[in-house]
Amino acid sequence: MRRPFLNILLPLGTGLLMVACWYAVRHALSEDLKFLLPTPDEIWAALQANSESLSRATLNTSKGAVLGFVLAVVVSFGLALILSLSHLIRASLYPYLMILQMMPIIVIAPILVLWVGAGLNSVVIITFLICFFPLVVNTTQGLISTDRNLVELFRMYRATRWQETFWLRVPAALPYFFTGLRIAAVLAPIGALVGDYTAGSSAGDGGGLGFQAIIYSSQAKYSALFATAAVTCILGFVFAGAVNILSWLALSKWHDSYHRTDN
Amino acid sequence: MPVPPIVAFNHVVKRYGDGPVVIDGIDLTAAPGDFISLIGPSGCGKSTLLRLIAGLSPLTGGSLTVDGRTPEDAAAELAFVFQEPTLLPWLTVAHNIEVAQQLRGVSAADRATARRRAVELVRLHGRDSAYPRQLSGGQKMRVSLARALTLEPKILLLDEPFGALDEMTREHLNEELLDIREKQAWTAFFVTHSVAEAVFLSNRIIVMSANPGRIHREVRVDFPYPRTEATRLSRPYHDLVAEVSGLLRSVENT
């Protein structure tokens, strides 16, 4: 069978199998426990019933996720350029970047609320913190992994520091940058959701998906909670898909990763 | 009146830091238009000689003039071809060929003209919009050569440019390189491990010995240019290849 065909058929088959198992488990549960696992059709119904609040929450979370993500991309790129200058700079800054990554969000969140207030500001900063590390690490690695022979070529032709950076090191780092971007794209909606859950606010145009999750769980609306999880997954797919398209546009013409002849 | 040399080594000594002496007491002058092959065991400093001409590394002793100036000041007269094609994989063939000029701030119109001329010289038609990964080893080397030729250098430094290619491709490119030399008059310094290649291309072969790198012997190759496939089949060619091979063996055994 042709591979493109299999590529669609196989995940579709796995999905159907999982849904079948889902219904089977639900069927096996005793009546008083059935509320623990709503079926896909119940979740679909909850999605429709709560469409207004969910779509508003999705919009708010997307806003936080996009802003935090873009901020992380811009800042990490600038920092990676500085870090790529010398290993002394990397040695001085890396431990603190690690600390930034280690800091637990649920501890940071109340502090952020104190500093910048609950709501979008905090959500953006939390998303930024979650996306930042994989971006800066991968981009820096890319910037310092330039082919030695190409660097030698540029030096022999007396390229300026600027030319060496922006004509050689930056394009050569693109594959690494996109590796970081893929990771960050999946983390961004989760970051925004966690941010919203821990530092969200219903003020203004209402909270995001995290805030909505708090409301549904306090109201014991379990189907709606599942619906919220589904929407978050879809948001993640949209982010990952957008980054895949960007990556394809930037790399497909020249990079070997798009032209594997094996497997 | 004698023509002033384009490159003149005068008792040149080179060591890196506190390391061993890499090359020791090199005296060598090149007249404009010379095609000089440097051949010798690894560690004889042949690549170091090219780096010194390129002004990438200071001398430890002696003096070196390139086009009547210091190597640093003469940098604009040089072009390089390495063993690796060193193409930028994200640029098309056309852009890769123009990169060297771009680094020197040549205008877009002049770059395009020089690029078309270089493509003509290396016979690489219809691949302008291809990316390096779509090219064969020989084609990549043609792009690399074209990039150097766009600069219309006075001196061309070639560091084992065809070392990674198969025999047939190598012989073709050897012939084309000599063809190009008829149309663009540069002086070549050509590092190689192939005696046959050195004899075919050069008018002078410098056999070097290692530890420290010294000039062991210079061999003149007086076959007239243009040289062709017929040259490779001739008796004197084979005799000279045998002679240089013998010299190379003698320095490798010491």
Side-chain angles (χ1 to χ4, degrees):
Chain A
M1 222 181 308
R2 301 293 303 251
R3 264 186 58 188
F5 194 56
L6 270 181
N7 280 347
I8 296 169
L9 210 64
L10 285 176
L12 208 65
T14 327
L16 286 175
L17 198 70
M18 289 197 309
V19 169
C21 288
W22 189 329
Y23 277 104
V25 171
R26 158 77 172 213
H27 189 74
L29 288 172
S30 64
E31 274 310 314
D32 56 331
L33 289 179
K34 282 208 192 308
F35 76 95
L36 285 177
L37 186 67
T39 57
D41 55 284
E42 286 168 354
I43 295 169
W44 177 246
L47 191 70
Q48 284 174 317
N50 297 286
S51 66
E52 203 191 316
S53 55
L54 273 178
S55 52
R56 197 187 56 234
T58 306
L59 199 69
N60 286 334
T61 298
S62 309
K63 209 193 287 173
V66 169
L67 288 175
F69 179 74
V70 170
L71 190 67
V73 170
V74 172
V75 174
S76 69
F77 193 79
L79 187 62
L81 280 176
I82 295 168
L83 287 171
S84 71
L85 291 177
S86 95
H87 77 275
L88 292 175
I89 299 177
R90 287 196 288 285
S92 352
L93 288 179
Y94 250 61
Y96 303 101
L97 285 174
M98 296 282 285
I99 288 173
L100 203 63
Q101 175 68 7
M102 306 290 182
M103 271 193 299
I105 295 300
I106 49 166
V107 178
I108 297 283
I111 301 171
L112 280 177
V113 171
L114 219 62
W115 286 353
V116 299
L120 190 62
N121 287 346
S122 290
V123 172
V124 169
I125 293 175
I126 289 171
T127 308
F128 167 85
L129 287 174
I130 287 187
C131 295
F132 183 67
F133 191 72
L135 279 168
V136 80
V137 170
N138 278 288
T139 310
T140 306
Q141 191 61 36
L143 289 171
I144 61 175
S145 303
T146 319
D147 185 341
R148 290 234 137 270
N149 291 320
L150 294 180
V151 175
E152 178 92 327
L153 176 84
F154 269 56
R155 301 250 161 103
M156 282 205 160
Y157 284 124
R158 304 292 197 272
T160 60
R161 188 101 207 189
W162 174 272
Q163 288 171 328
E164 190 183 310
T165 303
F166 291 98
W167 299 7
L168 178 59
R169 289 189 187 275
V170 169
L174 278 181
Y176 293 82
F177 169 72
F178 275 105
T179 303
L181 206 63
R182 276 167 211 262
I183 301 169
V186 183
L187 292 177
I190 299 172
L193 187 91
V194 170
D196 196 48
Y197 190 89
T198 51
S201 158
S202 63
D205 50 359
L209 288 167
F211 203 77
Q212 212 58 45
I214 298 174
I215 293 171
Y216 292 145
S217 78
S218 71
Q219 296 171 343
K221 284 176 148 180
Y222 297 116
S223 298
L225 264 180
F226 273 85
T228 311
V231 169
T232 312
C233 288
I234 292 168
L235 199 59
F237 271 112
V238 170
F239 263 75
V243 166
N244 275 340
I245 291 170
L246 280 180
S247 167
W248 185 85
L249 287 174
L251 304 179
S252 66
K253 283 205 176 103
W254 62 273
H255 197 251
D256 284 336
S257 61
Y258 284 89
H259 304 278
R260 291 254 163 79
T261 45
D262 56 353
N263 61 47
Chain B
M1 203 177 97
V3 191
I6 181 97
V7 175
F9 286 87
N10 195 355
H11 301 305
V12 168
V13 178
K14 174 67 189 173
R15 60 195 295 188
Y16 292 99
D18 296 332
V21 175
V22 184
I23 54 173
D24 187 24
I26 298 288
D27 284 303
L28 177 66
T29 56
D34 268 349
F35 197 119
I36 297 178
S37 282
L38 303 165
I39 196 163
S42 54
C44 71
K46 28 188 208 296
S47 296
T48 302
L49 284 187
L50 296 196
R51 294 182 61 85
L52 293 179
I53 298 172
L56 286 172
S57 201
L59 308 182
T60 310
S63 68
L64 171 60
T65 58
V66 177
D67 196 31
R69 293 167 272 174
T70 66
E72 289 77 14
D73 291 342
E77 310 299 339
L78 301 174
F80 320 90
V81 185
F82 307 103
Q83 177 169 9
E84 300 291 324
T86 58
L87 306 180
L88 309 185
W90 54 89
L91 294 184
T92 60
V93 164
H95 280 118
N96 262 296
I97 294 176
E98 291 184 18
V99 149
Q101 295 172 285
Q102 220 167 348
L103 289 173
R104 290 194 179 163
V106 177
S107 76
D110 291 347
R111 287 204 304 266
T113 312
R115 189 226 321 145
R116 279 191 284 275
R117 207 177 299 139
V119 164
E120 196 73 38
L121 287 172
V122 301
R123 296 179 200 161
L124 188 80
H125 298 286
R127 303 312 311 263
D128 276 3
S129 54
Y131 286 85
R133 61 168 191 84
Q134 300 169 300
L135 305 178
S136 68
Q139 287 174 324
K140 282 182 196 163
M141 199 37 83
R142 284 187 161 86
V143 176
S144 184
L145 193 54
R147 179 179 60 198
L149 297 176
T150 56
L151 298 174
E152 300 187 354
K154 281 188 183 168
I155 300 164
L156 193 55
L157 305 176
L158 306 107
D159 196 349
E160 292 186 61
F162 309 136
L165 302 176
D166 64 83
E167 191 74 20
M168 278 302 292
T169 312
R170 175 191 280 229
E171 288 187 359
H172 272 299
L173 283 169
N174 281 172
E175 282 158 39
E176 285 174 25
L177 188 61
L178 289 186
D179 256 6
I180 293 166
R181 187 167 166 265
E182 299 293 312
K183 296 164 193 153
Q184 261 196 356
W186 24 256
T187 307
F189 283 84
F190 189 95
V191 169
T192 179
H193 277 118
S194 160
V195 173
E197 188 173 59
V199 173
F200 183 76
L201 291 172
S202 339
N203 65 330
R204 299 166 66 188
I205 299 174
I206 309 292
V207 182
M208 297 182 68
S209 58
N211 304 318
R214 289 199 174 104
I215 293 177
H216 176 68
R217 192 79 61 82
E218 171 170 347
V219 179
R220 295 235 161 219
V221 186
D222 293 325
F223 312 136
Y225 294 98
R227 296 175 187 171
T228 61
E229 189 54 34
T231 314
R232 282 204 191 88
L233 298 171
S234 71
R235 186 61 197 268
Y237 170 83
H238 283 282
D239 290 346
L240 202 57
V241 169
E243 184 190 329
V244 177
S245 296
L247 281 171
L248 196 58
R249 253 195 307 280
S250 74
V251 291
E252 273 176 347
N253 287 339
T254 51

